[in-house]
Amino acid sequence: MSRISPETLQFLRDLKANNNRDWFAENKPIFQTANANMAQFVDVLLAEMRKVDNIENESGKKSLFRIYRDVRFSADKSPYKTHLAAHLKRVTQWLRGGYYVHLEPDGIFIGGGFW
């Protein structure tokens, strides 16, 4: 069973304290390791979810959301999200809805439903 490593959570804590482009550029290898850890976790989650539901995602890596924030219309101009997240989509139009996994140092949020 894959798990979220303490280093991934530490990266997210550090990112929250240093949410700027220069810091992120210096720590991009650490981000890539944290992102790969989350992708591995989601791979295992996908395998388990497929036992009980029809999920169409190809891989954990392709399920992850980008770390970059869209700041065009936001008062908060922080360039990066301080969490890692993934979306698991159900197969076909008849099996609508999906699942959302959100990880940050203070906890994890898992939700499901329709958008």
Side-chain angles (χ1 to χ4, degrees):
M1 182 71 169
S2 180
R3 66 182 186 91
I4 300 298
S5 73
E7 292 81 11
T8 296
L9 297 174
Q10 187 59 49
F11 169 78
L12 293 172
R13 281 187 203 94
D14 294 344
L15 177 60
K16 189 172 187 176
N18 302 288
N19 200 335
N20 63 70
R21 286 179 172 78
D22 292 336
W23 182 89
F24 190 84
E26 291 173 15
N27 292 278
K28 191 156 187 177
I30 300 169
F31 161 70
Q32 290 168 332
T33 301
N35 205 46
N37 178 228
M38 181 68 170
Q40 290 169 348
F41 177 78
V42 174
D43 279 333
V44 172
L45 182 61
L46 280 168
E48 293 298 314
M49 289 297 296
R50 286 186 180 123
K51 293 177 183 177
V52 296
D53 201 352
N54 294 327
I55 307 295
E56 74 175 19
N57 300 61
E58 292 178 32
S59 68
K61 183 178 179 181
K62 291 190 176 192
S63 304
L64 297 181
F65 285 96
R66 295 168 32 109
I67 191 87
Y68 307 101
R69 290 183 63 242
D70 182 359
V71 298
R72 293 176 294 173
F73 306 108
S74 175
D76 177 8
K77 299 298 183 185
S78 301
Y80 305 103
K81 299 173 188 171
T82 57
H83 64 273
L84 296 173
H87 176 255
L88 310 180
K89 186 177 179 195
R90 298 178 79 206
V91 177
T92 78
Q93 66 180 357
W94 305 110
L95 292 176
R96 300 177 318 167
Y99 304 94
Y100 174 78
V101 179
H102 177 107
L103 172 74
E104 54 186 288
D106 297 330
I108 189 167
F109 169 78
I110 299 175
F114 299 97
W115 174 256

